[in-house]
């Protein structure tokens, strides 16, 4: 039962059910598929004053222009690389995201992926389940996390949380950013190739978007070297995926733990046969606790907007 007195909003793409439930208590919610024909939106949708989206869908200039009454975009994600932020700013459309509430879980998964990759946990699990260990096959010896040089690419909130988790075991923690960060005990390396050369592990924790596209390129991958491991919990597009796959195939790097991919949910099948690669379906923030907290934060931002108040977590 929709209540026409409730502000009309668009749910852009399939939203987390609890979020939909909370939105429907407050708003008249119009689901719009992420690939909808924007020239054929029903009149009721054109009245939408808010749009709720998430990391992989975002909000293009086209969807903003298709909704003449749009006032705010609420993101169920910390990443807003798929939102045309400058277009929103130019049109006076507010944008909110969900930082901080997901930091710990994304950092936890990064550390879990690091251990799983370096210690061959997934491949050894398959060896036990397949019976080959019982038939006498011996697991290969592996690298170690303790004492290794951990390179954090992108020392933001999530990068710092990862570094703090690994401080007790790392041989050293170094990082590469566009500029040196203040108030951090970790060693800054300005040159990306020097950063890779001096790392045993590169954990990609930078924001996505065009400015970070293929930041981890063939040169950085080769500078990391044959004993090196890459972990990515950021965005798939931050790595030159073809170059990484080629390096993994040639054993020019030792392994990769990947939670994100260039064209999700499609993952290059070449990775499926690689025992030195651990794959996750973009699960960084996907805990019951955190997805609820993210949904509550999306709603809090919309509630604040419609109450004429400051947004709790504004992007624009
Ligand atoms: C989102 C993400 O939670 O927060 C981000 O930027 O990439 C994910 O953790 C996901 O996009 C929600 O569907």
């Amino acid at each position: 039962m929709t209540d026409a007195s409730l502000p009309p909003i668009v749910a852009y793409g399939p939203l987390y059910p609890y979020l939909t439930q909370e939105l429907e208590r407050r708003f008249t919610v119009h689901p719009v598929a992420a690939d909808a024909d924007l020239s054929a939106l029903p009149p009721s949708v054109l009245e939408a004053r808010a749009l709720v989206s998430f990391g992989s869908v975002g909000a293009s200039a086209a969807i903003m222009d298709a909704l003449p009454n749009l006032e705010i975009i609420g993101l169920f994600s910390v990443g807003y690389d798929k939102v045309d932020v400058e277009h929103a700013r130019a049109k006076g459309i507010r944008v909110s995201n969900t930082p901080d509430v997901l930091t710990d879980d994304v950092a936890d998964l990064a550390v879990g992926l690091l251990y799983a990759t370096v210690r061959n946990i997934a491949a050894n699990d398959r060896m036990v389940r397949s019976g080959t260990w019982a038939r006498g096959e011996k697991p290969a010896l592996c690298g170690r996390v303790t004492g290794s040089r951990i390179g954090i690419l992108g020392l933001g909130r999530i990068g710092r949380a990862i570094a703090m988790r690994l401080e007790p075991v790392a041989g050293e923690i170094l990082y590469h950013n566009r500029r040196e960060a203040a108030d951090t005990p970790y060693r800054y390396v300005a040159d990306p190739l020097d950063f890779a050369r001096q790392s045993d592990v590169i954990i990609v924790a930078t924001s996505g978007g065009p400015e970070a596209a293929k930041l981890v390129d063939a040169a950085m991958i080769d500078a990391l070297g044959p004993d090196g491991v890459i972990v990515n919990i950021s965005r798939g597009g931050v790595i030159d995926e073809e170059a990484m796959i080629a390096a993994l195939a040639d054993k020019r790097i030792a392994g990769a733990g990947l939670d994100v991919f260039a064209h999700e949910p499609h993952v290059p099948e070449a990775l499926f046969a690689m025992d030195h690669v651990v794959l996750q379906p973009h699960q960084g923030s996907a805990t019951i606790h955190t997805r609820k907290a993210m949904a509550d934060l999306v709603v809090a931002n919309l509630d604040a907007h419609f109450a004429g108040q400051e947004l709790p977590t504004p992007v624009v």
Side-chain angles (χ1 to χ4, degrees), residues 56-260:
S56 57
V57 171
S60 64
I63 186 66
M64 295 184 211
D65 293 343
L67 301 173
N69 300 317
L70 190 62
E71 301 166 22
I72 181 170
I73 296 165
L75 284 175
F76 180 70
S77 63
V78 65
Y80 51 87
D81 46 292
K82 290 286 181 68
V83 176
D84 190 330
V85 170
E86 290 316 311
H87 196 72
R89 197 190 310 275
K91 291 179 73 84
I93 297 171
R94 305 171 93 179
V95 180
S96 68
N97 66 339
T98 59
D100 299 323
V101 293
L102 52 64
T103 298
D104 283 331
D105 285 351
V106 176
D108 285 350
L109 187 72
V111 173
L113 268 176
L114 172 63
Y115 278 95
T117 306
V118 171
R119 296 302 304 270
N120 293 339
I121 290 176
N124 290 342
D125 175 276
R126 289 190 292 270
M127 175 179 283
V128 175
R129 292 174 192 269
S130 68
T132 54
W133 185 48
R135 292 192 291 275
E137 186 171 327
K138 302 296 181 205
L141 295 182
C142 60
R144 61 196 304 254
V145 173
T146 294
S148 61
R149 299 170 301 171
I150 304 289
I152 306 288
L153 182 60
L155 195 72
R157 286 176 281 224
I158 292 173
R160 288 171 187 261
I162 295 167
M164 285 174 63
R165 281 159 173 76
L166 291 171
E167 263 188 58
V169 299
E172 181 188 17
I173 294 178
L174 56 157
Y175 72 98
H176 175 68
N177 272 358
R178 280 191 289 261
R179 65 187 69 84
E180 188 166 6
D183 71 343
T184 174
Y186 314 123
R187 181 165 64 90
Y188 176 59
V189 182
D191 179 83
L193 297 186
D194 287 342
F195 164 73
R197 289 187 195 101
Q198 297 169 31
S199 299
D200 298 312
V201 175
I202 292 177
I203 300 180
V204 183
T206 185
S207 304
E211 65 283 359
K214 297 187 180 180
L215 180 60
V216 181
D217 59 10
M220 186 185 281
I221 292 167
D222 281 337
L224 177 61
D227 297 326
V229 166
I230 293 174
V231 172
N232 191 3
I233 44 82
S234 161
R235 287 288 187 266
V238 176
I239 297 179
D240 180 336
E241 206 163 67
E242 282 186 24
M244 177 180 63
I245 291 170
L248 286 163
D250 301 343
K251 301 291 176 72
R252 283 183 281 115
I253 53 174
L258 307 172
D259 186 43
V260 289

Side-chain angles (χ1 to χ4, degrees), residues 9-20 23 29 52-54 74 76:
I9 73 168
V10 164
Y12 198 38
L15 297 183
Y16 176 46
Y18 168 77
L19 174 56
T20 301
L23 292 172
V29 181
V52 176
S53 182
F54 52 96
F76 180 70

